[in-house]
Short mmCIF file of all heavy atoms in Angstrom, two decimals:
data_model
loop_
_atom_site.label_atom_id
_atom_site.label_comp_id
_atom_site.label_asym_id
_atom_site.label_seq_id
_atom_site.Cartn_x
_atom_site.Cartn_y
_atom_site.Cartn_z
N LEU A 256 2.41 -272.46 134.94
CA LEU A 256 1.24 -273.15 134.40
C LEU A 256 0.77 -274.27 135.33
O LEU A 256 -0.44 -274.53 135.43
CB LEU A 256 1.57 -273.71 133.01
CG LEU A 256 1.83 -272.66 131.93
CD1 LEU A 256 2.26 -273.32 130.63
CD2 LEU A 256 0.59 -271.79 131.70
N ALA A 257 1.70 -274.90 136.04
CA ALA A 257 1.31 -275.91 137.03
C ALA A 257 0.55 -275.26 138.19
O ALA A 257 -0.44 -275.83 138.70
CB ALA A 257 2.55 -276.64 137.55
N LEU A 258 1.00 -274.06 138.59
CA LEU A 258 0.25 -273.31 139.61
C LEU A 258 -1.15 -273.00 139.13
O LEU A 258 -2.12 -273.06 139.89
CB LEU A 258 0.99 -272.02 139.96
CG LEU A 258 2.23 -272.14 140.84
CD1 LEU A 258 2.89 -270.77 141.02
CD2 LEU A 258 1.85 -272.72 142.21
N TYR A 259 -1.24 -272.65 137.83
CA TYR A 259 -2.59 -272.39 137.29
C TYR A 259 -3.45 -273.65 137.37
O TYR A 259 -4.64 -273.58 137.72
CB TYR A 259 -2.54 -271.92 135.84
CG TYR A 259 -3.93 -271.92 135.26
CD1 TYR A 259 -4.82 -270.90 135.59
CD2 TYR A 259 -4.40 -272.98 134.49
CE1 TYR A 259 -6.13 -270.93 135.14
CE2 TYR A 259 -5.71 -273.02 134.05
CZ TYR A 259 -6.56 -271.99 134.37
OH TYR A 259 -7.86 -272.03 133.95
N ALA A 260 -2.88 -274.82 137.06
CA ALA A 260 -3.65 -276.06 137.10
C ALA A 260 -4.18 -276.32 138.51
O ALA A 260 -5.35 -276.71 138.68
CB ALA A 260 -2.78 -277.23 136.64
N LEU A 261 -3.34 -276.08 139.54
CA LEU A 261 -3.80 -276.24 140.92
C LEU A 261 -4.91 -275.25 141.24
O LEU A 261 -5.92 -275.59 141.87
CB LEU A 261 -2.63 -276.05 141.88
CG LEU A 261 -1.51 -277.10 141.81
CD1 LEU A 261 -0.34 -276.69 142.71
CD2 LEU A 261 -2.04 -278.47 142.20
N HIS A 262 -4.72 -274.00 140.79
CA HIS A 262 -5.75 -272.97 141.01
C HIS A 262 -7.05 -273.36 140.31
O HIS A 262 -8.15 -273.23 140.88
CB HIS A 262 -5.25 -271.63 140.50
CG HIS A 262 -6.33 -270.61 140.30
ND1 HIS A 262 -6.86 -269.88 141.34
CD2 HIS A 262 -7.00 -270.23 139.17
CE1 HIS A 262 -7.81 -269.08 140.88
NE2 HIS A 262 -7.91 -269.26 139.57
N ALA A 263 -6.96 -273.84 139.05
CA ALA A 263 -8.16 -274.17 138.28
C ALA A 263 -8.92 -275.32 138.93
O ALA A 263 -10.16 -275.32 138.97
CB ALA A 263 -7.77 -274.54 136.85
N ARG A 264 -8.19 -276.30 139.47
CA ARG A 264 -8.86 -277.43 140.12
C ARG A 264 -9.64 -276.94 141.34
O ARG A 264 -10.80 -277.33 141.56
CB ARG A 264 -7.83 -278.48 140.51
CG ARG A 264 -8.44 -279.71 141.16
CD ARG A 264 -7.42 -280.81 141.42
NE ARG A 264 -6.99 -281.43 140.17
CZ ARG A 264 -5.75 -281.40 139.71
NH1 ARG A 264 -4.81 -280.78 140.40
NH2 ARG A 264 -5.44 -282.00 138.58
N ALA A 265 -9.00 -276.07 142.13
CA ALA A 265 -9.69 -275.53 143.31
C ALA A 265 -10.86 -274.64 142.91
O ALA A 265 -11.93 -274.69 143.53
CB ALA A 265 -8.69 -274.75 144.17
N LYS A 266 -10.67 -273.84 141.86
CA LYS A 266 -11.72 -272.94 141.39
C LYS A 266 -12.91 -273.72 140.87
O LYS A 266 -14.08 -273.34 141.13
CB LYS A 266 -11.14 -272.04 140.29
CG LYS A 266 -12.08 -270.96 139.78
CD LYS A 266 -12.17 -269.81 140.73
CE LYS A 266 -12.93 -268.63 140.12
NZ LYS A 266 -13.26 -267.60 141.11
N ASP A 267 -12.66 -274.80 140.15
CA ASP A 267 -13.76 -275.61 139.64
C ASP A 267 -14.52 -276.29 140.77
O ASP A 267 -15.75 -276.43 140.71
CB ASP A 267 -13.22 -276.67 138.66
CG ASP A 267 -13.24 -276.17 137.22
OD1 ASP A 267 -13.92 -275.16 136.97
OD2 ASP A 267 -12.57 -276.77 136.38
N ARG A 268 -13.81 -276.73 141.82
CA ARG A 268 -14.51 -277.33 142.96
C ARG A 268 -15.38 -276.31 143.68
O ARG A 268 -16.45 -276.64 144.17
CB ARG A 268 -13.49 -277.93 143.94
CG ARG A 268 -12.90 -279.26 143.49
CD ARG A 268 -12.30 -280.01 144.68
NE ARG A 268 -11.24 -279.24 145.30
CZ ARG A 268 -9.94 -279.40 145.03
NH1 ARG A 268 -9.56 -280.30 144.14
NH2 ARG A 268 -9.03 -278.67 145.63
N ARG A 269 -14.90 -275.04 143.68
CA ARG A 269 -15.60 -274.01 144.43
C ARG A 269 -16.81 -273.46 143.67
O ARG A 269 -17.92 -273.42 144.20
CB ARG A 269 -14.62 -272.90 144.79
CG ARG A 269 -15.19 -271.87 145.75
CD ARG A 269 -14.09 -271.02 146.38
NE ARG A 269 -13.30 -270.31 145.38
CZ ARG A 269 -12.02 -270.57 145.10
NH1 ARG A 269 -11.41 -271.57 145.74
NH2 ARG A 269 -11.37 -269.89 144.19
N ASP A 270 -16.61 -273.01 142.43
CA ASP A 270 -17.74 -272.39 141.71
C ASP A 270 -17.76 -272.67 140.21
O ASP A 270 -18.49 -272.03 139.46
CB ASP A 270 -17.75 -270.87 141.93
CG ASP A 270 -16.45 -270.20 141.50
OD1 ASP A 270 -15.64 -270.84 140.80
OD2 ASP A 270 -16.24 -269.03 141.87
N HIS A 271 -16.93 -273.63 139.74
CA HIS A 271 -16.93 -274.06 138.33
C HIS A 271 -16.68 -272.90 137.37
O HIS A 271 -17.29 -272.84 136.30
CB HIS A 271 -18.26 -274.73 137.96
CG HIS A 271 -18.59 -275.91 138.82
ND1 HIS A 271 -17.94 -277.11 138.71
CD2 HIS A 271 -19.50 -276.05 139.83
CE1 HIS A 271 -18.43 -277.97 139.60
NE2 HIS A 271 -19.37 -277.35 140.29
N SER A 272 -15.79 -271.97 137.72
CA SER A 272 -15.60 -270.80 136.86
C SER A 272 -14.12 -270.55 136.53
O SER A 272 -13.70 -269.41 136.35
CB SER A 272 -16.18 -269.55 137.54
OG SER A 272 -15.52 -269.27 138.77
N ALA A 273 -13.32 -271.62 136.45
CA ALA A 273 -11.92 -271.45 136.06
C ALA A 273 -11.82 -270.89 134.65
O ALA A 273 -12.68 -271.14 133.80
CB ALA A 273 -11.19 -272.78 136.16
N LEU A 274 -10.76 -270.12 134.40
CA LEU A 274 -10.57 -269.49 133.08
C LEU A 274 -10.55 -270.55 131.99
O LEU A 274 -11.26 -270.44 130.98
CB LEU A 274 -9.25 -268.71 133.07
CG LEU A 274 -8.91 -267.98 131.78
CD1 LEU A 274 -9.92 -266.90 131.46
CD2 LEU A 274 -7.50 -267.38 131.87
N VAL A 275 -9.72 -271.58 132.14
CA VAL A 275 -9.75 -272.76 131.26
C VAL A 275 -10.08 -273.95 132.16
O VAL A 275 -9.21 -274.45 132.87
CB VAL A 275 -8.41 -272.98 130.54
CG1 VAL A 275 -8.47 -274.25 129.69
CG2 VAL A 275 -8.06 -271.79 129.67
N PRO A 276 -11.33 -274.40 132.16
CA PRO A 276 -11.71 -275.50 133.05
C PRO A 276 -10.95 -276.78 132.70
O PRO A 276 -10.85 -277.17 131.54
CB PRO A 276 -13.22 -275.67 132.76
CG PRO A 276 -13.65 -274.41 132.08
CD PRO A 276 -12.44 -273.91 131.34
N LEU A 277 -10.40 -277.42 133.71
CA LEU A 277 -9.67 -278.67 133.47
C LEU A 277 -10.60 -279.77 132.98
O LEU A 277 -10.14 -280.75 132.40
CB LEU A 277 -8.96 -279.10 134.76
CG LEU A 277 -7.90 -278.13 135.29
CD1 LEU A 277 -7.19 -278.73 136.49
CD2 LEU A 277 -6.90 -277.76 134.21
N ARG A 278 -11.92 -279.59 133.18
CA ARG A 278 -12.86 -280.60 132.68
C ARG A 278 -12.81 -280.71 131.16
O ARG A 278 -13.21 -281.73 130.59
CB ARG A 278 -14.28 -280.27 133.13
CG ARG A 278 -14.82 -278.94 132.61
CD ARG A 278 -16.25 -278.69 133.07
NE ARG A 278 -16.71 -277.36 132.69
CZ ARG A 278 -16.55 -276.28 133.44
NH1 ARG A 278 -15.95 -276.39 134.62
NH2 ARG A 278 -17.00 -275.10 133.04
N LEU A 279 -12.32 -279.65 130.48
CA LEU A 279 -12.22 -279.72 129.02
C LEU A 279 -11.33 -280.88 128.59
O LEU A 279 -11.57 -281.52 127.57
CB LEU A 279 -11.67 -278.41 128.47
CG LEU A 279 -12.61 -277.19 128.46
CD1 LEU A 279 -11.86 -275.95 127.99
CD2 LEU A 279 -13.81 -277.46 127.55
N PHE A 280 -10.29 -281.15 129.37
CA PHE A 280 -9.33 -282.19 128.99
C PHE A 280 -9.87 -283.59 129.22
O PHE A 280 -9.25 -284.56 128.80
CB PHE A 280 -8.01 -281.98 129.72
CG PHE A 280 -7.30 -280.73 129.30
CD1 PHE A 280 -7.51 -279.53 129.96
CD2 PHE A 280 -6.45 -280.74 128.20
CE1 PHE A 280 -6.86 -278.37 129.55
CE2 PHE A 280 -5.81 -279.59 127.78
CZ PHE A 280 -6.01 -278.40 128.46
N SER A 281 -11.03 -283.69 129.88
CA SER A 281 -11.67 -285.00 130.02
C SER A 281 -12.64 -285.27 128.88
O SER A 281 -13.15 -286.38 128.77
CB SER A 281 -12.43 -285.07 131.36
OG SER A 281 -13.54 -284.18 131.35
N LEU A 282 -12.88 -284.29 128.03
CA LEU A 282 -13.79 -284.46 126.91
C LEU A 282 -13.09 -285.23 125.78
O LEU A 282 -11.87 -285.12 125.61
CB LEU A 282 -14.26 -283.10 126.38
CG LEU A 282 -15.07 -282.25 127.35
CD1 LEU A 282 -15.41 -280.91 126.71
CD2 LEU A 282 -16.36 -282.96 127.76
N PRO A 283 -13.85 -285.98 124.99
CA PRO A 283 -13.23 -286.72 123.88
C PRO A 283 -12.69 -285.77 122.84
O PRO A 283 -13.40 -284.92 122.32
CB PRO A 283 -14.41 -287.55 123.33
CG PRO A 283 -15.64 -286.78 123.72
CD PRO A 283 -15.31 -286.16 125.05
N GLY A 284 -11.42 -285.86 122.57
CA GLY A 284 -10.84 -285.08 121.48
C GLY A 284 -10.14 -283.80 121.87
O GLY A 284 -9.26 -283.35 121.13
N PHE A 285 -10.46 -283.21 123.03
CA PHE A 285 -9.90 -281.89 123.31
C PHE A 285 -8.39 -281.95 123.53
O PHE A 285 -7.63 -281.19 122.92
CB PHE A 285 -10.58 -281.25 124.53
CG PHE A 285 -10.11 -279.85 124.79
CD1 PHE A 285 -10.62 -278.80 124.05
CD2 PHE A 285 -9.14 -279.58 125.75
CE1 PHE A 285 -10.17 -277.50 124.27
CE2 PHE A 285 -8.69 -278.31 125.97
CZ PHE A 285 -9.21 -277.25 125.23
N GLY A 286 -7.95 -282.86 124.40
CA GLY A 286 -6.52 -282.95 124.68
C GLY A 286 -5.72 -283.34 123.45
O GLY A 286 -4.71 -282.71 123.12
N ALA A 287 -6.19 -284.39 122.74
CA ALA A 287 -5.48 -284.84 121.54
C ALA A 287 -5.56 -283.78 120.44
O ALA A 287 -4.59 -283.57 119.70
CB ALA A 287 -6.07 -286.16 121.04
#
Side-chain angles (χ1 to χ4, degrees):
L256 294 175
L258 284 177
Y259 170 77
L261 294 174
H262 163 80
R264 182 174 289 117
K266 185 77 171 169
D267 268 345
R268 283 199 300 264
R269 188 164 59 249
D270 57 14
H271 303 287
S272 62
L274 181 64
V275 178
L277 298 185
R278 62 179 174 271
L279 286 175
F280 293 91
S281 68
L282 297 177
F285 185 80

